[in-house]
Amino acid sequence: MHHHPDVKTHCAKTYLEHVRGLVLRIQILQEKIERQRAVMELSAAQYREASSPNAVGDAMENGVIGLQELIADFCTDLADYAEEQRTAHSVLMRLSRPEWTAALTGHYVHGLTWAEVCDRMGYSKGGLMKMVRGAWAEVYSLMPEQWRRDAVPNAAPR
């Protein structure tokens, strides 16, 4: 099936934004787990010092349950993340130009801003975005089929 270049760009960007979203979700879950662990450490210290351990004990039990739920969510998301990262890495490593791989990997896989990618690669923002437009066109032909099929926007009725 032949798609217009704008549709190819849209599909490739949608796929890569999905990959970036997974990276950010994993980072957010890690931060939540670390915050919850810190609260639990504080609660444990309060429990040891409390004159009425029952109230603190209930709060600690709820905290442990909450932490276990966060960790379970993290493990589920991490398994999905790892598989999708392998696929995305494979797509990006097959790009014909190494600078395309570097730019797209930096932004979509490592979660860098475009400004950070510019700094690391020594490009101006305009130069980088011009280069990235070419990369998106090539990503389209390499990305999983479902993203070429499912990400095509519906035409608006006239």
Side-chain angles (χ1 to χ4, degrees):
M1 177 184 326
H2 179 72
H3 287 126
H4 187 276
D6 291 343
V7 171
K8 289 180 180 183
T9 297
H10 171 80
C11 291
K13 286 172 66 175
T14 299
Y15 169 65
L16 292 169
E17 286 296 335
H18 166 74
V19 170
R20 182 175 168 83
L22 292 173
V23 171
L24 297 175
R25 178 164 170 73
I26 290 297
Q27 289 172 348
I28 289 167
L29 281 172
Q30 285 175 318
E31 290 169 7
K32 282 176 136 178
I33 288 169
E34 290 308 313
R35 280 195 305 276
Q36 185 70 16
R37 279 189 178 146
V39 167
M40 294 305 302
E41 288 172 6
L42 180 60
S43 295
Q46 289 173 344
Y47 180 75
R48 286 189 294 272
E49 297 170 2
S51 59
S52 172
N54 285 344
V56 176
D58 290 344
M60 242 175 102
E61 181 181 337
N62 291 336
V64 168
I65 291 169
L67 181 58
Q68 288 173 332
E69 289 171 353
L70 281 174
I71 291 171
D73 289 346
F74 177 77
C75 290
T76 300
D77 286 356
L78 190 59
D80 294 341
Y81 166 81
E83 181 60 34
E84 297 234 24
Q85 284 296 308
R86 276 191 290 278
T87 302
H89 182 73
S90 173
V91 167
L92 295 174
M93 293 307 293
R94 292 187 331 219
L95 293 173
S96 62
R97 294 179 55 190
E99 60 271 19
W100 288 357
T101 298
L104 296 184
T105 299
H107 183 69
Y108 293 109
V109 176
H110 297 197
L112 301 176
T113 65
W114 287 121
E116 290 169 325
V117 173
C118 289
D119 288 344
R120 288 184 179 198
M121 295 183 68
Y123 279 84
S124 68
K125 176 83 181 237
L128 180 74
M129 296 318 292
K130 182 178 179 182
M131 179 184 66
V132 165
R133 280 190 287 280
W136 286 328
E138 194 167 310
V139 165
Y140 177 84
S141 63
L142 300 170
M143 67 188 191
E145 169 62 33
Q146 77 184 64
W147 289 95
R148 288 193 296 270
R149 181 184 58 239
D150 296 345
V152 176
N154 293 327
R158 293 184 179 201

